[in-house]
Amino acid sequence: MKLPDLTGLALRNLRESFLRNSLTTVGIAVGVASLVAMLSLGIGLQELASRRLVKSGLFDTVVVTSRRDLRNFGREEERNGPAPGESRILDEPTRQAIERLPNVLEASPDIRFITELRYEDKPHLTMIAALPDSAKSNDAFDGMQGKFFSSDIAPEVVLQKAFAEELLGKTRTPGAAEINVAELAPPLLGKELTMRYAQREVAIQPPLARAENPSGEEHDMAGAAYSVISREQKLKIVGIADLDPESMRGPTRARVFLPLQLAESLHVMQPADLREISQAANGQPVYSSVNVRVKDPKDVQTIEDAIKKMGFNTFSILDASRGLRQFFAVLYAFLAIFGSLALAVASIGIVNTLVMAILERRREIGIMKAIGASDGDVKKLFFAEAGAMGILGGIVGVGLGWAIGQVINFGTNIYLRKQELPPEHFWSVPWWLVAFAILFAFGVSLISGLYPAGRAARLDPVQALRYE
Amino acid sequence: MDRHTDSSLPNGAPAIRIEDLCRHYHMGETVIRAVDGVSLDVRGGAFVALLGSSGSGKSSVLNLIAGLDRPTSGNVLVQGRNLAQLSREELAKYRLHTVGMVFQSFNLIASMTLAENVELPMRFAEVDRAKRDGLTREALARVGLQARMNHRPSELSGGEQQRAALARALINRPQLLLADEPTGNLDSHTGTEIMNLIGEFNQQFGMTVVMVTHERALAERYAQRLIFLADGKLVGDEANAPAVAGFASQGEHR
Ligand SMILES: Nc1ncnc2c1ncn2[C@@H]1O[C@H](COP(=O)(O)OP(=O)(O)O)[C@@H](O)[C@H]1O
Ligand SMILES: [Mg+2]
């Protein structure tokens, strides 16, 4: 029998005992719906978690340092890494090379230094860090008062809440209620700070002078000679970040933040300079470390490997993210098992319906065989009926699952709003899940149809026609 | 419907040959010999009646000829082909193309309209969709049911149902018509209608007809040969001059 005839017959047979078949189909639909609901909850939660993680800047960042790090120099690295002669300097061309690696969003030098800030003529010694423009999406700046830097070169600062308290002379006693950042902001925003810092100046010898120098070693030392000048820079307070100092991580581990390009242009003397400067033959800036932001946390490993191959040390919190992925894999498996269980129950419904149909349609099967239907025709007809119920149930089930998700999403967001938390979208039904669920329901139905279809095909027509 | 005359074997050659046919049923300890050593030749185009009391094995013989059942021993050869040697698949094909069957209880599919019932064998035979509608109409018109084609069997009288069953049996143009007490559930008037139709098909298209009945009078009116069964054995074989020989309607159609 040809496929259109087969499906036509199957559908008319399904219509014939509509109530029973639709109940069976609803059974499949409920199974599929629970599978879809479970999986899309899992997927949604994972998406939510990884969105959060990416925002935190924890899992998409690789910190690159030179192998000439003081702690390792001459010790571990000589044994494990390349010999000091091969290891390279983390300078501007290297930073650019790293930035050009595939899947790297940006590679920004980690500039941080301790210096004195004067506010209303009172000096405050603190750690200052430079932030690239991209840092404004970091969740460390959620709930910030004021705004982020107006440009990457603007003479502006963002203060960490604890430092703002210090400037206003509010010392927190342990156990006292936390001061709301909104109270700290009005007296400080728009005010000026004066930063006093040491500027290093690299004196580059003209090429001619270099060429005349016969000794390479001494030439480098001579060429990289620098002087230190004391400078002042006025900075405008534009933002107060509502951060708990204990929760600060990575590039945000400082109390005052400057725009990156501004910080670079100031040539502030940094602790590593004394050591690195001796290597800077070409007068390019040299960094003690570079923060590399990658497109996707899953790229971290390959990028780390690539940078290691270039001759640098790298550090990332990849292992933590791997653990997280593992957790979600287990969660998926769990949710999928529960979802599939519901579908398995539904498939028993299919078997039951079809076996009942065989008993009921014994005579019909006998007639079809008497007028020339082959075993295959009968088998295919029952398969088609099972498959049609599966596809119908799958489609209805996906719709139902999606609706359940929407309702839960809606309800939870009402709850979140009552808790004064921002709404979250933690429910996701990707297209592949829709296709997978329908195909899965179809497959399960066909498997459920195996036994009934085989039984119907083997039915003895003489027996089937003997009894009225 | 000319194919029947073209493709059927020349009159006189055996269309059906039955050799020492046995069909035994095992019911626990006892063996029921429903068919017990029957041998028989039926020539192409013949109209044969199988007679005997209830339980004598008539239906069993007919089902064996139809390829619905397999013999315990012995052979059934139809147009030289031994049914015992056919696979299940081949046997289904044989039933589909070579055999048309009608039953005492009509055996139409209750959930289908007459048109769908008549069309069904063409679906199994994978006849072109485009052709099926016309053929269905034609077949139903042939038995006078064109007006009822969208009715379900339950909406029709017994005679009408049996006519529809005949249309279905003939839709794939078989050479063999096997009828198991086709008038058993009908009053004598509608029974005569059905018998006239069967006789017509036999006369006009040269179809070989094997009809099971327990009514000797009916057999004598239509059949050319009467075969008697008792306890699964062949107990009589008589030539008969049908009362309705040389059908009045012959030549009227086409
Ligand atoms: N499937 C079966 N199982 C057991 N006995 C059967 C079966 N089919 C037929 N019989 C027996 O075989 C004998 C012949 O039956 P059947 O061919 O139907 O007779 P008829 O058609 O002449 O009335 C009967 O005794 C019947 O009971
Ligand atoms: Mg009988």
Side-chain angles (χ1 to χ4, degrees), chain B residues 189-204:
Chain B
H189 174 70
T190 41
T192 305
E193 258 177 38
I194 295 298
M195 286 310 302
N196 284 344
L197 273 172
I198 293 175
E200 215 175 292
F201 295 138
N202 170 249
Q203 296 273 313
Q204 260 197 296

Side-chain angles (χ1 to χ4, degrees), chain B residues 54-55 57-60 104 180-181 212:
Chain B
S54 181
K58 308 181 294 291
S59 295
S60 298
Q104 180 175 3
D180 195 345
E181 313 222 19
V212 166

Side-chain angles (χ1 to χ4, degrees), chain B residues 150-167:
Chain B
N150 293 320
H151 289 246
R152 293 201 173 193
S154 56
E155 298 165 332
L156 301 171
S157 73
E160 287 169 322
Q161 286 189 54
Q162 194 62 298
R163 288 197 328 238
L166 262 175

Side-chain angles (χ1 to χ4, degrees), chain A residues 1-2 4-5 9 12 16 363-364 367-375 377 457 461-462 465 468, chain B residues 63 68-69 88-89 92 95-96 105 107-109 111-112 116 120-121 123-124 126 129 132 152 168:
Chain A
M1 208 171 7
K2 285 183 180 145
D5 281 325
L9 269 186
R12 80 174 315 295
E16 219 30 64
R363 187 163 198 90
E364 191 180 309
I367 294 169
M368 290 200 290
K369 287 195 152 190
I371 62 175
S374 66
D375 292 5
D377 288 330
V462 177
L465 291 174
E468 283 295 303
Chain B
N63 289 337
L68 276 179
D69 199 6
R88 283 175 78 90
E89 187 71 24
R95 290 197 297 268
L96 185 59
S105 51
N107 279 342
L108 295 170
I109 293 176
S111 62
M112 294 183 176
E116 286 171 323
L120 195 56
R123 290 196 190 216
F124 296 134
E126 301 191 348
R129 250 165 188 253
R132 291 202 304 235
R152 293 201 173 193
R168 184 182 65 184

